[in-house]
């Protein structure tokens, strides 16, 4: 069976591998296709498509947009992004500017308390990187402020912690407008990570479907088999397609393997074949 992974990150956002290295890892894992879905950016897509043009790996240009639903941050995947469209670049630049302002304020808070955190260290040699809290966690560990990234989130940058500042609240309408305009299809990412009950997830899906949502990420590293089956049943009930991905980030999430997640996850090519027909 040909296997795929439709949720992969590079260092264009908060992954540790370059887009080309992501492709190499996918090939090493024996995958036939991946979707590069960096947070709020398509900056890594051109590189990975150029790198793989003569390789036995199909790459779906994608993106993962953050937005808010009932004051809870959620993520929506866009597949087959029109990554060279200048209008998409303008839309994403606006989102990036809002995030940059928030990150600068977090840096200022930390520096005020004597923590050696700078934008230069967060960017780590990649000036185009989309900075997320994972970058802050990395620097806090590298500077010896925290022993692990988990501690960084729990004590420093998690919701409610001293240095946490919420991202600008992009609405679902704004995110879905971008995704439906510049991508072939939009899928709700890792629904169980939002700590909603299944009834709330169904309400969210019905709402997003009214905005143009095409599917749900039923297979994910955070799911067990029972949970994935529940999400598959929900997708069938709501006439939504199914996708699946590991949410691979490289060493940022070292317990997640591309194409396998945290264990025996296997995502068949037929899911991508179906997405192509939407």
């Amino acid at each position: 069976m040909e296997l795929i992974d439709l949720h992969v990150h590079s260092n264009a956002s908060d992954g540790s591998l370059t887009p080309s290295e992501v492709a190499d890892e996918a090939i090493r894992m024996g995958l036939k296709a991946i979707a590069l879905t960096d947070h709020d950016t398509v900056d890594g897509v051109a590189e990975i498509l150029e790198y793989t043009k003569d390789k036995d790996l199909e790459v779906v240009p994608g993106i993962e947009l953050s937005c808010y639903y009932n004051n809870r941050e959620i993520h929506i995947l866009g597949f087959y992004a029109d990554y060279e469209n200048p209008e998409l670049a303008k839309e994403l630049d606006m989102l990036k500017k809002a995030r940059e302002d928030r990150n600068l304020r977090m840096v200022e808070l930390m520096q005020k308390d004597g923590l050696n955190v700078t934008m230069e260290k967060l960017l780590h040699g990649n000036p185009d990187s989309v900075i997320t809290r994972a970058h802050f966690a990395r620097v806090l560990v590298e500077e010896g402020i925290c022993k692990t990234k988990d501690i960084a989130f729990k004590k420093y940058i998690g919701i409610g912690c001293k240095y946490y500042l919420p991202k600008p609240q992009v609405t679902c309408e704004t995110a879905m407008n971008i995704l439906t305009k510049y991508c072939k299809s939009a899928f709700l990412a890792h629904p169980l990570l939002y700590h909603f009950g299944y009834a709330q997830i169904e309400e969210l899906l019905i709402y997003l479907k009214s905005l143009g949502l095409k599917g749900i990420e039923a297979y994910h590293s955070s799911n067990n088999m029972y949970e994935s089956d529940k999400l598959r049943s929900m997708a069938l009930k709501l006439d939504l397609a199914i996708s699946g991905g590991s949410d691979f980030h490289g060493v940022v999430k070292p317990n997640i393997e591309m194409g396998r997640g945290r264990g025996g996850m296997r995502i068949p090519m037929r899911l991508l074949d179906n997405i192509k027909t939407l």
Side-chain angles (χ1 to χ4, degrees), residues 16-228:
S16 63
L17 302 183
T18 67
S20 298
E21 289 169 341
V22 165
D24 286 338
E25 179 64 10
I27 293 168
R28 187 184 75 82
M29 295 299 290
L31 301 179
K32 288 299 181 180
I34 61 170
L36 185 65
T37 53
D38 279 310
H39 292 285
D40 301 335
T41 185
V42 290
D43 287 350
V45 170
E47 177 186 330
I48 196 169
L49 289 178
E50 174 65 23
Y51 184 73
T52 57
K53 64 183 181 181
D54 297 321
K55 293 179 170 57
D56 187 21
L57 178 70
E58 182 178 351
V59 176
V60 177
I63 191 168
E64 183 176 12
L65 286 187
S66 303
C67 58
Y68 281 80
Y69 173 79
N70 289 346
N71 291 317
R72 190 76 54 88
E73 182 178 331
I74 67 170
H75 295 169
I76 307 174
L77 298 164
F79 296 130
Y80 294 101
D82 187 8
Y83 67 97
E84 294 179 309
N85 191 314
E87 294 303 313
L88 173 59
K90 289 180 184 177
E91 299 265 21
L92 297 179
D93 281 344
M94 291 176 63
L95 298 180
K96 185 177 181 180
K97 177 63 167 59
R99 291 182 70 147
E100 286 175 346
D101 291 344
R102 172 254 201 168
N103 291 331
L104 285 170
R105 285 184 287 130
M106 287 179 65
V107 168
E108 289 171 359
L109 286 174
M110 292 180 177
Q111 290 180 347
K112 186 177 179 180
D113 285 348
L115 302 182
N116 193 18
V117 177
T118 66
M119 285 303 299
E120 182 180 8
K121 290 177 180 177
L122 292 169
L123 289 168
H124 200 56
N126 183 3
D128 295 322
S129 182
V130 176
I131 299 300
T132 69
R133 283 185 293 156
H135 293 78
F136 280 92
R138 173 181 55 77
V139 173
L140 289 169
V141 171
E142 289 174 352
E143 294 298 313
I145 299 165
C146 300
K147 287 186 177 180
T148 68
K149 291 173 184 175
D150 284 344
I151 292 174
F153 273 92
K154 289 177 182 178
K155 293 189 175 181
Y156 287 80
I157 56 175
I159 295 173
C161 295
K162 183 175 183 179
Y163 304 108
Y164 171 80
L165 291 175
K167 287 186 290 188
Q169 289 212 8
V170 176
T171 65
C172 292
E173 290 88 345
T174 296
M176 286 299 299
N177 182 58
I178 293 172
L179 293 171
T180 55
K181 187 181 295 184
Y182 301 108
C183 297
K184 181 178 176 64
S185 57
F187 281 61
L188 179 64
H190 42 61
L192 297 178
L193 289 186
Y194 313 129
H195 304 294
F196 294 145
Y198 286 107
Q200 289 176 295
I201 293 173
E202 186 168 330
E203 289 175 5
L204 171 59
L205 288 170
I206 291 170
Y207 168 59
L208 292 177
K209 186 177 179 181
S210 74
L211 300 177
L213 191 79
K214 296 295 185 183
I216 178 174
E217 188 176 50
Y219 301 101
H220 184 265
S221 294
S222 61
N223 299 355
N224 59 38
M225 189 178 299
Y226 170 80
E227 292 166 336
S228 291

